[in-house]
Structure formats: C-alpha cells, structure tokens
Amino acid sequence: MVALPEDRETMEERLVEEILRLKEERDAVIFAHNYQVPAVQDVADLVGDSLELARAATAYDADVIIFCGVDFMAQTAAILSPEKRVVLPAGDACCPMAAMVTAGEVRVLKERFPDAAVVCYVNTSAEVKAESDICCTSANAVKVVESLEEERILFVPDRNLARYVARFTTKEVMPWDGFCYVHDRFTPENVQDARRLHPEAEVLVHPECRPEVIDLADYVQSTSGMVRHACASTARSFIIGTETGIIHQMRKKCPDKKFFPLSERAVCINMKKTDLEKVRNSLVTLEPRVTVPADVADRARTAIERMLAVK
C-alpha cells in the first residue's frame, strides 16, 4: 500500500511539536516580528515591533535567540546580548532600506555637518549604528530627536520617517534619501479607494509612508502601536497601512473587529522568507548564527542603549 503524503495542516502540527521540543532542549526563545507569516508568529514566544524586540533581547533568560525577522534585527539582538547565540532562520532575509546607507556615507555626513547629531533608524546595519549618536524606531523617533541637545539632526536612512519626525520638532531634520519599498508604494489613491470601500473604517498608517499618505490617515502608528490602538478604539473596522502581516495579530487580539489592508500588495518579501521548517532547522543546527565584530558591536551598543534609555 502506498503511503499518502501528509496534508499541510498535519505537517505544520508536526513541525510545531518539533519546534516546541527543540526550544526546550536548546534553552531557546523565539522572537518574531509583526510582519512574519502567521504560522511563525503563532509559534513565537514574543511577537512585536523593532523596539519591543530590541528591549526583549536582554530581558529573556535564554541561551539562544531564534530571531524570525531580517538581518538588522538579529544584529541588534546580538549586540545587546553578546553572551547569547542569535540565530536568523532565514539567513538571506535582509532589509533593502538598511542597505541604502553605509557606514562610510555616514562618516562623510559627519565631516560635512560636524555640529549635527546622527540619528539612525534601527533599520540599519551594525556598522551604521556604530557611526551614529543614537538609534530610534518608528515608535520612539520623535522622543529620541527631542532628547538630543543638538539642533541639527542627520536622520538615516528613511526619508519618510525623517519628514514625519520633522512635523513634531523645531529642530532641523536632514533626511537621507532612503525608504521602505513597502510603505513608499502607498499612494493617496489607495487611501481614497479604501475609504470608499469601507467608509466606516479608521485609517491607520505607518510613519514610513509618504507625507501625502500620512496627511489622509486618521492615525499614524508603529506596527505594535497599531495593534494597541485597534484593541482600544471604539471603532469596529480599520484600514491598515503597513505590511499585511500585522493583520494576523490584530485579528487574534480583536476577533470581533474587521481589518482591511490598505493594499494587498504591501508585502515585504524578505519578512516572508522565514517558515516553520526554517525555524525547526535553525533549532537543530543553531545556524545561521549572527555575530557582530566586537569593535563594531561596542560602538553600536552605545547608540542602541542611548535609545533604550529614552522614556
């Protein structure tokens, strides 16, 4: 008798069982960004945005961090917890925006504007963080800029987040010309079309969106900020202007509410490279391991810790 192949649901169940067993054996914790595929989010110990996951890197007592996200996130965890083994299940999962600025370019900026502070978005390489005065995330960027003594701010790499921050400070914010291809694709027409389809819905967008999209939104939030807002709001439906993966968390936490993506095309290919099989394999081999050279890590850690100290 020929054995039939397992159906997808059974295969996922077996992988989840293996992951949970291996996690205990390896003394591992699994972090997943809000943009990960639903199955990976569901097996994680913590799902969150960049700020939440950065804080958690030092808070969890585990030997191994399995980081389901992209490269700069795993680097940040490795910088903050050098005694832990940080593993990125999808070793080729990168952030195109992070690659839009280099450490050499930041050094040139610092020479050209010696009176300015360098604020780097956490979506940057460890080498860029090492050249920066302080890091920020989309959740705390305004507070970070306001915490600095300098009146001129070199903001890398996201031009849209820089322009958003500039709305809330009297400081001169000089943006680098980088962008997130997912958020930068949203248009005013997307918002107008979505409002026509769902006139009762609140429009929530990410600060990485273009200014003209932000102007049409009801609220501007980081990814986890969107989740918290949706849970607390009296509204019953929401149009979500960020990567579509976040909607899984929203539906889990607010099953009685409705969520619609601002665009079905808002998908980060790199965030979707991680699946349950890669998570299982990373727990078996503890590879691909993410490490940061000590001299780079020490300088980058200063910028990250300055960010984490901002209340």
Side-chain angles (χ1 to χ4, degrees):
M1 183 175 179
V2 178
L4 296 174
E6 291 181 308
D7 60 43
R8 184 180 182 84
E9 185 175 348
T10 302
M11 289 177 63
E12 282 201 357
E13 289 173 356
R14 287 169 63 88
L15 281 169
V16 169
E17 289 176 5
E18 281 190 78
I19 287 167
L20 295 178
R21 174 179 58 80
L22 287 164
K23 188 179 71 167
E24 294 301 316
E25 292 177 5
R26 297 296 199 181
D27 189 23
V29 63
I30 300 174
F31 292 170
H33 192 272
N34 287 316
Y35 297 160
Q36 291 290 296
V37 297
V40 170
Q41 292 188 40
D42 290 344
V43 81
D45 296 285
L46 177 67
V47 180
D49 60 18
S50 297
L51 181 58
E52 291 171 326
L53 299 176
R55 291 188 187 281
T58 58
Y60 275 74
D61 183 19
D63 291 337
V64 177
I65 298 174
I66 303 296
F67 213 117
C68 303
V70 293
D71 51 3
F72 75 82
M73 298 176 179
Q75 283 185 339
T76 301
I79 290 165
L80 290 173
S81 298
E83 76 286 357
K84 297 174 183 175
R85 189 180 186 99
V86 178
V87 180
L88 184 66
D92 61 342
C94 62
C95 173
M97 177 168 62
M100 292 179 185
V101 64
T102 67
E105 288 168 328
V106 175
R107 286 192 290 270
V108 170
L109 286 175
K110 289 162 69 174
E111 291 174 3
R112 189 171 299 173
F113 303 100
D115 62 331
V118 179
V119 176
C120 75
Y121 195 16
V122 74
N123 301 41
T124 48
S125 68
E127 290 76 13
V128 167
K129 290 180 176 69
E131 296 295 335
S132 302
D133 294 293
I134 191 168
C135 293
C136 75
T137 70
S138 59
N140 66 8
V142 174
K143 287 183 178 180
V144 164
V145 167
E146 285 293 284
S147 75
L148 299 171
E149 294 180 358
E150 291 85 353
E151 289 300 316
R152 304 183 82 188
I153 307 297
L154 295 167
F155 196 103
V156 300
D158 188 2
R159 65 193 181 202
N160 291 326
L161 181 58
R163 290 165 182 161
Y164 178 73
V165 171
R167 297 177 182 221
F168 303 97
T169 182
T170 58
K171 299 185 179 189
E172 181 186 1
V173 180
M174 296 179 283
W176 187 253
D177 197 26
F179 58 91
C180 167
Y181 75 88
V182 174
H183 293 102
D184 200 60
R185 284 177 177 170
F186 289 131
T187 66
E189 290 73 27
N190 290 146
V191 180
Q192 292 157 0
D193 291 345
R195 282 197 187 277
R196 279 194 291 270
L197 287 171
H198 311 288
E200 74 293 345
E202 289 184 348
V203 177
L204 313 183
V205 304
H206 196 278
E208 289 179 18
C209 292
R210 293 176 179 236
E212 57 268 29
V213 171
I214 285 174
D215 289 341
L216 295 175
D218 295 311
Y219 298 95
V220 183
Q221 304 271 5
S222 68
T223 52
S224 289
M226 288 184 186
V227 176
R228 289 189 292 270
H229 176 91
C231 291
S233 175
T234 57
R236 310 308 301 168
S237 57
F238 305 85
I239 295 162
I240 305 302
T242 190
E243 213 274 353
T244 57
I246 188 67
I247 292 178
H248 178 65
Q249 281 299 304
M250 292 175 163
R251 287 173 176 159
K252 283 182 67 174
K253 294 186 177 183
C254 309
D256 58 330
K257 298 183 179 183
K258 295 181 179 179
F259 301 94
F260 309 101
L262 182 55
S263 169
E264 294 285 358
R265 296 176 60 241
V267 176
C268 175
I269 295 170
N270 283 282
M271 281 289 190
K272 302 303 193 235
K273 287 182 176 179
T274 308
D275 57 24
L276 288 178
E277 186 173 3
K278 288 180 180 175
V279 174
R280 187 272 313 276
N281 292 346
S282 71
L283 282 162
V284 171
T285 64
L286 298 184
E287 297 289 347
R289 184 176 184 179
V290 175
T291 59
V292 179
D295 60 326
V296 174
D298 289 344
R299 291 183 293 132
R301 189 177 302 113
T302 299
I304 298 167
E305 289 178 344
R306 287 190 70 188
M307 171 189 74
L308 295 177
V310 173
K311 301 302 181 184

